[in-house]
Amino acid sequence: MRHFLTLKDYTKEEILEIVDLGLKIKKELKGGEIKPYMPNKTLAMIFEKSSTRTRVSFETGIFQLGGHGLFLSNRDIHLGRGEPVKDTARVISSMCDMVMIRTFAHAMLEEFAAFSQVPVINGLTDSYHPIQLLADYMTMIEHGKSEKIVAAYVGDGNNMTHSWMFLAAKLGFELRVATPQEYEVDPAVRAEAEAIAQESGAILHFTNSPQEAVRGATVVTTDTWASMGQEDEKEERIAAFRGFIVDDDLMAKAAKDAIFLHCLPAYRGQEVSESVLEGTQSVVFEEAENRLHAQKGLMVWLDQQR
């Protein structure tokens, strides 16, 4: 049995298998063929952090695979309200076939997985967002950007940045990360990613200059400056990230055929301009749809490992 907590736990071959399976299932769906890969299976979806894309993609995905999704917010269950995580894990995993958790502390997810009898999927934590990277890479493949990748991440050194670092390190491509000085990536995560990169041949470059990161890049991506739980820092962050907006001037420094990615929700005029988000290089809404297809591939793959 396997869990999907971070990309660092997976080999390059396994990541590609999952994405390829997602592409296969997507092709079948677009051709009018819905195959019940997981008939009568139940997915428990635990949300301590709310979400549009994660909720809709997982609930729709398990339904299309022939199963059923259970939405469980922290108002619906005892998790975090007196019952230990390990007890909740043992109970839910005895009744369901798979669990997806979207929460704050990554340690909570790890504890749940340690006591779960079924595969656990990281729907997002404050440290990592690996399911988004499956969708991002699927989108890159579909737009011919999976060879000789030079990716530029501009913004906060957050869970998205950490996940991009592990995707690049595992697959062996070049990633340039541009963050303000006070918002750089976690040093421990950076050290782990760099160790993996030494083996794969990946190039990880860290800078405080968005222009340096984006120059010649084939993929440009960013994320909100203030994630959920950081609302009280919003004004401070807007000031700190001045100059880190992905606008037309910055995109002009990328390769002419570069694509723009964003995990959404996007705040126009902050991390990205309206013209870039709605422009011809933006593939963010295809990327958002690919959450559905990539996660279906992941769920089927995990189910097959049991």
Side-chain angles (χ1 to χ4, degrees), residues 7-25:
L7 290 172
K8 67 183 177 184
D9 303 324
Y10 280 72
T11 66
K12 174 180 180 178
E13 291 71 26
E14 288 171 335
I15 294 169
L16 296 179
E17 277 180 19
I18 293 167
V19 174
D20 286 346
L21 183 54
L23 285 166
K24 175 179 178 288
I25 296 172

Side-chain angles (χ1 to χ4, degrees), residues 10 12 17 29 56 70-71 85 87 119 131 137 141 143 153 158 168 194 214 226 233 251 256 259 269 276 278 295:
Y10 280 72
K12 174 180 180 178
E17 277 180 19
L29 178 67
V56 175
L70 292 172
F71 174 75
V85 171
D87 291 1
I131 53 173
Y137 189 65
I141 291 173
H143 284 270
Y153 179 95
N158 60 13
E194 289 178 329
V214 169
E233 303 174 24
M251 280 299 294
K256 289 184 178 180
I259 60 172
V276 168
E278 299 289 355
Q295 289 163 195

Side-chain angles (χ1 to χ4, degrees), residues 28-43:
E28 291 168 352
L29 178 67
K30 297 296 184 180
E33 186 178 11
I34 300 180
K35 292 184 179 180
Y37 286 92
M38 296 176 64
N40 303 316
K41 296 294 179 73
T42 303
L43 172 71

Side-chain angles (χ1 to χ4, degrees), residues 12-226:
K12 174 180 180 178
E13 291 71 26
E14 288 171 335
I15 294 169
L16 296 179
E17 277 180 19
I18 293 167
V19 174
D20 286 346
L21 183 54
L23 285 166
K24 175 179 178 288
I25 296 172
K26 178 179 181 178
K27 184 178 180 181
E28 291 168 352
L29 178 67
K30 297 296 184 180
E33 186 178 11
I34 300 180
K35 292 184 179 180
Y37 286 92
M38 296 176 64
N40 303 316
K41 296 294 179 73
T42 303
L43 172 71
M45 304 179 298
I46 299 174
F47 284 85
E48 290 196 312
K49 276 189 174 185
S50 59
S51 171
T52 300
R53 280 149 292 277
T54 303
R55 168 76 187 273
V56 175
S57 57
F58 271 110
E59 193 159 345
T60 300
I62 190 64
F63 172 76
Q64 291 179 349
L65 293 172
H68 177 72
L70 292 172
F71 174 75
L72 304 169
S73 74
N74 54 7
R75 295 182 299 274
D76 303 314
I77 58 178
H78 289 99
L79 184 66
R81 293 191 295 133
E83 182 171 64
V85 171
K86 62 183 180 180
D87 291 1
T88 303
R90 285 182 284 202
V91 170
I92 291 178
S93 67
S94 72
M95 301 178 185
C96 298
D97 301 289
M98 196 170 290
V99 181
M100 186 284 300
I101 303 177
R102 184 178 172 94
T103 188
F104 293 89
H106 194 76
M108 175 274 194
L109 179 75
E110 291 178 323
E111 182 180 0
F112 193 105
F115 288 91
S116 175
Q117 303 172 39
V118 299
V120 175
I121 296 171
N122 180 358
L124 175 143
T125 66
D126 286 345
S127 300
Y128 303 103
H129 196 7
I131 53 173
Q132 181 63 53
L133 269 293
L134 295 179
D136 289 2
Y137 189 65
M138 177 181 285
T139 308
M140 290 161 63
I141 291 173
E142 292 180 324
H143 284 270
K145 302 301 177 188
S146 60
E147 300 292 333
K148 298 181 180 179
I149 302 166
V150 179
Y153 179 95
V154 177
D156 189 18
N158 60 13
N159 50 7
M160 277 298 298
T161 326
H162 294 163
S163 295
W164 267 102
M165 288 158 57
F166 282 122
L167 183 72
K170 288 289 184 174
L171 300 190
F173 63 80
E174 182 175 355
L175 173 67
R176 306 168 186 165
V177 175
T179 61
Q181 285 187 352
E182 299 301 316
Y183 297 89
E184 294 170 339
V185 300
D186 185 311
V189 176
R190 175 173 172 173
E192 284 186 284
E194 289 178 329
I196 297 170
Q198 285 185 342
E199 297 180 7
S200 69
I203 299 173
L204 303 181
H205 179 69
F206 299 89
T207 179
N208 301 122
S209 167
Q211 293 75 19
E212 181 183 348
V214 169
R215 190 170 294 112
T218 58
V219 178
V220 179
T221 186
T222 187
D223 189 17
T224 177
W225 293 340

